[in-house]
């Protein structure tokens, strides 16, 4: 039996899954949060025969190295045995691969230097990912570690799609271009959609709408990403929980001159205090939908701006692809919000898009079609599984 340990390390968190790869089933998963604070929280879930059992503790977790000790202790205490299910490879999510990494890559010292070097493009993510890798190498010294990059799937973007229309030399020198993110999810979901529809991936034009706390759209032509809504950083594009998505860059200059906001404040404003939160005071889509339903005007406006932007990208990608076969909703909002799915694609019947209200409202889990039988474009909900995709890619290179 071959198991893969998948690791996603944030600056103060460590998420993990142990996946048995023959049946592609999760054996255990966990989340260690508030690393570096006085008290950390630890959640370890053991999956056995479809039954989940979750164990929670709180204890101080000094750093990522300590977090791996805590994780291994949770496996020893609650199972499953890491001796019997020893990982053959550890797969790491790394956010930014820049122009260097297009493929899952076995981690060497040189690879780590390169990930570090890309930190200026993802200052919140790459250093944390790297801390996780270093700590994991100490905890699992005898297996290969593989880095799987969020940007990699979008390496197929054309220069027309990835270039910003600014001074070319300045952009090149500072690596300013569109990279795109959520690639692991867009790849997984576009492939799962083709498999679910029983159509060859190479023949399918798909728009994937990954709507979580972060959100991005991706136009996929024959399995290749041809455009995506996030850019140099995960700030561009759709309206998100706390991120603005697209705006006129002159807004920054204006707010700097007029309101005296410095660059760090602007960064915080756009990444942490904008989006649904900025518009309505609520960053969680469930709360926004509920408040809008109860007549809260700000929440309704936040929802409308969110939907307006989403429809805008759907239209743009239909044009870029020259027509579309499937539009797919995924991630927390995409998989769960009946309202967002219905309203974002309302009124598009002339483009061959009609949602069936009953199918859309069904509580069924798993991949499913939500468009009417006579809709020329198939609209689907397909749950994403980034951990499984990382596990598959990691295993494929060792
Ligand atoms: P992340 O980007 O952190 O991985 P997820 O994909 O888990 O996020 O998505 C989290 C988002 O999904 C939250 O904003 C949450 O409000 C939203 N969400 C979850 N369930 C629902 C629901 N039933 N209706 C609307 N939004 C939902």
């Amino acid at each position: 039996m071959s198991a893969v340990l998948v690791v996603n390390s944030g600056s103060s968190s460590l998420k993990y899954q142990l996946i048995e790869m023959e049946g592609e089933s999760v054996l255990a998963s966990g989340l260690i949060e508030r690393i570096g604070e006085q008290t950390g929280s630890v959640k370890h879930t053991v999956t056995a025969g479809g039954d989940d059992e979750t164990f929670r503790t709180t204890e101080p977790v000094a750093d990522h190295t300590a977090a791996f000790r805590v994780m291994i202790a949770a496996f020893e205490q609650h199972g499953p045995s890491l001796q019997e299910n020893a990982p053959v490879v550890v797969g790491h999510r790394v956010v930014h691969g820049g122009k260097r990494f297009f493929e899952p890559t076995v981690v060497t010292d040189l690879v780590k230097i390169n990930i570090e070097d890309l930190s200026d493009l993802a200052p919140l993510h790459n250093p944390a990912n790297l801390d996780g890798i270093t700590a994991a190498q100490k905890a699992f010294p005898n297996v290969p570690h593989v880095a799987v990059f969020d940007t990699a799937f979008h390496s197929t973007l054309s220069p027309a799609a990835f270039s910003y229309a600014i001074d070319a030399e300045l952009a090149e020198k500072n690596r300013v271009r569109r990279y795109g993110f959520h690639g692991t999810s867009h790849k997984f979901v576009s492939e799962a959609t083709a498999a679910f529809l029983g159509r060859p991936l190479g023949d399918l034009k798909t728009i994937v709408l990954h709507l979580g706390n972060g959100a991005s759209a991706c136009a996929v032509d024959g399995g290749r990403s041809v455009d995506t809504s996030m850019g140099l950083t995960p700030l561009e594009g759709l309206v998100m929980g706390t991120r603005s998505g697209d705006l006129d860059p002159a807004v920054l200059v204006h707010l700097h001159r007029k309101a005296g906001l410095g660059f760090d404040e602007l960064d915080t404003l756009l990444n942490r205090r904008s989006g649904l939160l900025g518009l309505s005071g609520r960053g969680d889509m469930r709360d926004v939908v509920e408040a809008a339903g109860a007549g809260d005007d700000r929440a309704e406006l936040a929802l409308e701006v969110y939907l307006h932007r989403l429809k805008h990208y759907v239209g743009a990608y239909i044009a870029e692809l020259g027509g579309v076969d499937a539009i797919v909703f995924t991630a927390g909002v995409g998989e769960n919000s009946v309202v967002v799915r219905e309203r974002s694609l309302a009124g598009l019947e002339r483009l061959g898009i009609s949602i069936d209200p009953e199918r859309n409202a069904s509580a069924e889990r798993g991949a499913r079609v939500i468009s009417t039988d006579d809709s020329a474009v198939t609209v689907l909900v397909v749950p994403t599984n980034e951990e499984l995709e990382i596990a598959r890619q990691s295993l494929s290179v060792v």
Side-chain angles (χ1 to χ4, degrees), residues 56-80:
R56 290 170 204 272
T57 53
T58 52
E59 58 186 286
V61 184
D63 52 21
H64 284 89
T65 302
F68 275 95
R69 276 200 299 271
V70 168
M71 181 196 86
I72 289 169
F75 274 100
E76 279 168 3
Q77 197 177 349
H78 308 296

Side-chain angles (χ1 to χ4, degrees), residues 15 210-214 283-286 289 331-333 336-337:
K15 236 167 140 178
H210 176 112
L211 312 176
N213 280 316
D284 189 304
M285 184 53 95
R286 277 167 294 207
V289 169
V333 178
N336 294 299
S337 180

Side-chain angles (χ1 to χ4, degrees), residues 7-35:
V7 170
N8 183 353
S9 43
S11 55
S12 65
S13 68
L14 172 69
K15 236 167 140 178
Y16 58 86
Q17 262 190 22
L18 184 67
I19 303 175
E20 179 277 301
M21 294 306 288
E22 269 145 52
E24 294 195 329
S25 58
V26 177
L27 300 173
S29 59
L31 175 63
I32 301 171
E33 288 179 294
R34 297 204 292 280
I35 294 171

Side-chain angles (χ1 to χ4, degrees), residues 62-350:
D63 52 21
H64 284 89
T65 302
F68 275 95
R69 276 200 299 271
V70 168
M71 181 196 86
I72 289 169
F75 274 100
E76 279 168 3
Q77 197 177 349
H78 308 296
S81 155
L82 279 177
Q83 278 77 45
E84 284 166 32
N85 306 281
V88 294
V89 53
V90 180
H92 296 267
R93 175 187 182 216
V94 179
V95 166
H96 220 306
K99 284 203 289 181
R100 288 204 189 112
F101 298 109
F102 304 144
E103 301 286 341
T105 304
V106 176
V107 176
T108 61
D109 287 344
L110 182 61
V111 167
K112 286 169 76 175
I113 290 168
N114 279 312
I115 293 173
E116 166 88 61
D117 181 52
L118 291 163
S119 288
D120 61 334
L121 292 172
L124 295 178
H125 293 106
N126 273 31
N129 299 154
L130 208 49
D131 285 349
I133 291 174
T134 301
Q137 285 177 319
K138 282 189 222 158
F140 298 90
N142 300 319
V143 296
H145 291 251
V146 173
V148 177
F149 299 89
D150 262 22
T151 47
F153 183 56
H154 305 300
S155 66
T156 45
L157 257 58
S158 67
F162 73 61
S163 303
Y164 290 113
I166 62 169
D167 182 302
E169 218 171 288
L170 186 70
E172 175 71 29
K173 197 166 157 211
N174 293 286
R175 301 191 279 204
V176 173
R177 50 161 278 178
R178 309 185 62 255
Y179 294 95
F181 298 86
H182 288 146
T184 312
S185 176
H186 289 302
K187 180 177 192 308
F188 178 86
V189 170
S190 51
E191 289 173 5
T193 299
F196 179 78
L197 294 174
R199 305 260 308 263
L201 182 64
D203 291 353
L204 216 56
K205 293 176 188 287
T206 308
I207 297 172
V208 180
L209 304 171
H210 176 112
L211 312 176
N213 280 316
S216 69
C218 184
V220 184
D221 196 348
R224 292 159 63 89
S225 170
V226 295
D227 206 351
T228 191
S229 57
M230 286 176 165
L232 174 75
T233 76
L235 181 57
E236 192 179 344
L238 300 175
V239 175
M240 308 179 214
T242 65
R243 285 175 240 165
S244 62
D246 295 336
L247 82 172
D248 181 344
V251 169
L252 299 183
V253 180
H254 180 74
L255 287 176
H256 174 64
R257 288 190 184 136
K258 183 88 182 157
L261 296 184
F263 287 108
D264 289 340
E265 288 166 297
L266 289 168
D267 193 24
T268 305
L269 175 76
L270 297 185
N271 277 299
R272 299 187 189 279
R273 301 200 350 244
S274 296
L276 296 174
L277 180 69
L279 283 165
S280 75
R282 296 171 173 89
D284 189 304
M285 184 53 95
R286 277 167 294 207
D287 301 338
V288 173
V289 169
E290 196 186 307
D296 182 310
D297 290 344
R298 287 174 68 203
E300 178 56 29
L301 177 66
L303 187 56
E304 282 173 12
V305 176
Y306 184 99
L307 298 169
H308 179 93
R309 186 83 50 84
L310 199 50
K311 189 180 271 187
H312 173 95
Y313 271 95
V314 169
Y317 289 172
I318 292 174
E320 276 191 49
L321 289 166
V324 66
D325 300 301
I327 299 176
V328 195
F329 288 91
T330 195
V333 178
E335 290 168 35
N336 294 299
S337 180
V338 177
V339 172
V340 167
R341 292 195 300 258
E342 180 195 305
R343 288 180 59 180
S344 61
L345 299 185
L348 301 184
E349 290 76 12
R350 285 181 68 171

